[in-house]
Amino acid sequence: MALAEAFERIGAFLEDRLPLMHAAGTALAVTDRDEILGVVVRGFADAASGTPVRPETRFQIGSISKSFTAIVTLQAAEEGLLDLHAPIDRLVPWIEVPQPFGAITPHHLLTHTSGLPIGTEDAPGALAAAWNLRHVRPGFGPGERFWYSNDGYKLVGLVLERALGRPFGDLVRERILAPLEMGATSPVITNRDRADLATGYATLHDGRPPHRHQPLVPAPWAVSGSADGSIVSNVLDMTAYARMLLAAGAPLLSPSGFEALTAPRIQDTGAAGFAYGYGLYVGEQDGRRRIYHTGGMIGYTALLMLDPDDGLGLVMLVNGQGERKPAGRFALRTVRAALTGEPLPPVVHLDPVRTPHAAGYVGRYSDGRRSFEVAARGDRLVLRRNGTETILEPRLEDEVPTQDLFVAPDPELERSWLWFGRNAEGEVVEAVHGPDRMPREGVTRPEPPPVPERWPGFTGLYRSNDPWIPCFRVVLRGGELWMLLGDDDEPELPLVPIGDEDFRVGREPWRPSRVAFDRIVEGRAIRAVHDGGSWYRSFED
């Protein structure tokens, strides 16, 4: 009875969060080392037809696939077919990735320490990524720091194909799916998979911050067969994968192989308390050991989370773009309480517009061209302009409101994040939106410095066939060029000049991401080359 009640509460938690996850449906399963303990499904596999999510519903699992890649790589290393510390251009001679700081090896690629950028899908596939990387310089020396790179894992797939003489999808099928009897899982995404896959969903406007009032639309479809994230599965099959990890890798890895898979290699500053191993995050949270990886695809998100001390594993698959880790932690905590006889944790409603210290933002903001007023209504922030009122939604990170970062669900303001800047004393002194920096009433802002003559010609909206980054906006703000990516882990970043038309994306000198503007026509750039991919100026404002 306690376990049944636990899964009822998990379902109630998902019902509360699903509207905030920009998703149509989800499936969640918890397993112990022997069997599935329960499955919860909510929402729709396809909203248009009203088809519900079922335990058998298949989703794209995204970057959870990286642990599959790592396992095949470790198997090859244990069989003496691959040296994890050999230069990649020795393993695959035609790979011409610049290596100015030293040799990049499979070990660096598996741990995201190669210095390569995250990568683009301007030209899809591993071969195209390797080709584009010929002109992309790493940002730092191999092993020096962590920087997540999908392109790095694409290269691992090419290395495996050459070392083992088989297509990457066949390697995953033969070495992982078949031994674990994961018969509903596909190692690559093809058009054949689309017929029985949950429909992926995204918010209506690309390149803009998502908010609760944006309708969901079917996300673009893309085939994929690269080693960074191309697996289709369901929660039933994925619990078999979780049980393999709870069994220390058996039967796929030796004890030393599993130790290599889960050894903490390098700290990820974006994941407090966690280091990255080979395709998995390992660390502690709330005093408990955790192994996990998230996944994100076009219209899909996923979570694999393990509690090795309790012998519990969780898989959550979503056809949308929401945060999964809070639901995963709640589910594991609730099932653990049911198994140990402890009180079950309550389901706490998440208020998406609650703003801590709302009074600190109150005031009028104006730059002489645009102005608005911000008022506090309890723990809500209300933006008033042109006789209308809009309740601001703080950006949530792990269900915690991000200080000073909001989206305004207003037709004009929703195109960019709304930031509030503070002085050295911590007082809010300005609002920032798109190109505009609007000082708070009573605050004097210095004039921005002059900018090079050609910079205004770089501003505008750029589009690509890359379904991951369909567009980005470049604006002049306070004497700097900024790149606005909308819904992204780093939604807005300054462009630091490293040449007349070349820029580093972000202030840190080690960042590998670059953008260059070219094909100047009547003073305006027609193309922006971002990390080897091409984006072209759009007609949109």
Side-chain angles (χ1 to χ4, degrees):
M1 289 296 294
L3 201 55
E5 173 62 20
F7 282 99
E8 285 294 325
R9 293 202 184 189
I10 294 167
F13 187 99
L14 294 176
E15 289 172 9
D16 183 74
R17 300 311 195 264
L18 197 59
L20 308 179
M21 294 170 63
H22 314 294
T26 184
L28 183 152
V30 179
T31 185
D32 62 14
R33 290 188 171 91
D34 300 314
E35 61 184 355
I36 296 175
L37 299 177
V39 180
V40 177
V41 293
R42 291 294 186 273
F44 299 103
D46 181 74
S49 64
T51 303
V53 174
R54 305 186 310 273
E56 298 81 11
T57 301
R58 302 202 307 158
F59 299 76
Q60 296 179 23
I61 72 168
S63 286
I64 297 174
S65 306
K66 289 181 170 65
S67 60
F68 288 67
T69 301
I71 287 172
V72 175
T73 307
L74 288 168
Q75 289 173 338
E78 289 192 330
E79 293 163 15
L81 301 175
L82 177 62
D83 182 353
L84 297 181
H85 302 283
I88 55 172
D89 52 358
R90 185 190 305 166
L91 298 171
V92 184
W94 59 262
I95 289 180
E96 300 177 10
V97 176
Q99 300 176 67
F101 304 114
I104 296 173
T105 69
H107 166 82
H108 298 129
L109 300 174
L110 290 169
T111 54
H112 298 298
T113 60
S114 66
L116 296 174
I118 188 171
T120 72
E121 296 290 337
D122 171 54
L127 291 172
W131 182 260
N132 282 345
L133 286 172
R134 294 176 307 132
H135 305 295
V136 177
R137 188 175 186 270
F140 52 85
E144 288 183 5
R145 62 179 68 246
F146 180 93
W147 186 262
Y148 198 91
S149 176
N150 288 318
D151 276 1
Y153 266 76
K154 288 183 173 73
L155 295 181
V156 174
L158 296 175
V159 168
L160 287 171
E161 289 183 340
R162 184 174 178 87
L164 301 179
R166 300 278 286 152
F168 177 74
D170 290 349
L171 294 174
V172 171
R173 184 181 292 108
E174 295 161 4
R175 289 171 168 264
I176 297 179
L177 305 185
L180 296 182
E181 299 182 348
M182 296 173 65
T185 301
S186 301
V188 296
I189 301 167
T190 69
N191 286 328
R192 290 190 298 273
D193 296 302
R194 196 172 188 179
D196 71 340
L197 198 67
T199 301
Y201 286 96
T203 48
L204 174 62
H205 294 291
D206 56 18
R208 298 186 182 187
H211 60 75
R212 293 176 301 132
H213 306 286
Q214 284 185 5
L216 294 178
V217 296
W221 173 260
V223 300
S224 180
S226 53
D228 55 327
S230 298
I231 292 176
V232 173
S233 191
N234 61 30
V235 293
L236 303 179
D237 265 21
M238 286 300 297
T239 56
Y241 187 75
R243 286 192 291 275
M244 176 273 298
L245 293 173
L246 290 171
L252 303 183
L253 290 171
S254 68
S256 60
F258 183 75
E259 183 179 354
L261 181 76
T262 57
R265 306 285 178 170
I266 189 163
Q267 185 69 38
D268 177 7
T269 56
F274 284 88
Y276 205 81
Y278 284 167
L280 291 167
Y281 285 93
V282 293
E284 288 192 5
Q285 192 165 51
D286 302 326
R288 307 193 66 80
R289 285 198 303 152
R290 283 277 192 269
I291 299 173
Y292 83 92
H293 210 292
T294 57
M297 293 296 281
I298 309 159
Y300 303 89
T301 45
L303 173 67
L304 169 70
M305 184 176 284
L306 307 171
D307 186 329
D309 292 332
D310 284 333
L312 295 176
L314 170 139
V315 178
M316 181 178 178
L317 305 178
V318 182
N319 55 342
Q321 298 297 310
E323 175 63 71
R324 290 84 67 206
K325 286 185 282 187
R329 292 196 300 269
F330 178 83
L332 288 177
R333 188 167 67 249
T334 305
V335 170
R336 182 173 65 247
L339 295 175
T340 59
E342 300 172 15
L344 301 183
V347 177
V348 178
H349 171 68
L350 178 63
D351 183 352
V353 295
R354 184 185 68 85
T355 300
H357 314 295
Y361 299 94
V362 170
R364 177 170 292 278
Y365 300 83
S366 175
D367 63 356
R369 189 180 68 87
R370 283 206 298 167
S371 65
F372 55 75
E373 179 186 356
V374 174
R377 188 177 295 156
D379 58 1
R380 268 80 165 139
L381 276 185
V382 180
L383 186 146
R384 297 172 177 156
R385 55 179 290 274
N386 300 334
T388 65
E389 288 191 349
T390 302
I391 296 178
L392 299 182
E393 298 182 10
R395 184 189 190 210
L396 298 177
E397 187 170 344
D398 209 2
E399 298 198 342
V400 177
T402 303
Q403 180 174 295
D404 302 336
L405 181 56
F406 299 83
V407 61
D410 170 281
E412 179 180 330
L413 297 175
E414 71 175 4
R415 291 191 298 180
S416 302
W417 291 100
L418 177 64
W419 301 75
F420 289 91
R422 297 176 181 267
N423 60 17
E425 288 73 40
E427 301 169 322
V428 175
V429 295
E430 68 173 348
V432 180
H433 182 263
D436 299 319
R437 297 181 63 182
M438 294 163 277
R440 195 176 189 174
E441 191 172 50
V443 175
T444 302
R445 188 192 66 193
E447 287 295 317
V451 300
E453 182 179 355
R454 56 177 68 188
W455 281 16
F458 301 156
T459 63
L461 186 74
Y462 294 83
R463 284 197 172 275
S464 168
N465 289 327
D466 182 345
W468 285 94
I469 310 175
C471 64
F472 58 79
R473 190 179 299 275
V474 177
V475 301
L476 265 174
R477 176 194 293 168
E480 293 182 303
L481 285 170
W482 283 71
M483 186 176 185
L484 313 186
L485 291 163
D487 181 22
D488 192 81
D489 289 338
E490 297 180 297
E492 301 188 2
L493 289 166
L495 299 182
V496 179
I498 54 177
D500 290 341
E501 298 170 347
D502 299 340
F503 297 83
R504 182 176 66 248
V505 183
R507 299 198 190 282
E508 296 88 345
W510 49 262
R511 279 181 175 260
S513 188
R514 301 285 187 271
V515 66
F517 301 94
D518 65 6
R519 302 186 185 179
I520 309 300
V521 176
E522 296 184 350
R524 299 199 307 167
I526 301 302
R527 184 176 73 157
V529 179
H530 175 42
D531 292 344
S534 294
W535 278 253
Y536 294 88
R537 178 178 294 278
S538 175
F539 66 92
E540 303 157 274
D541 293 334

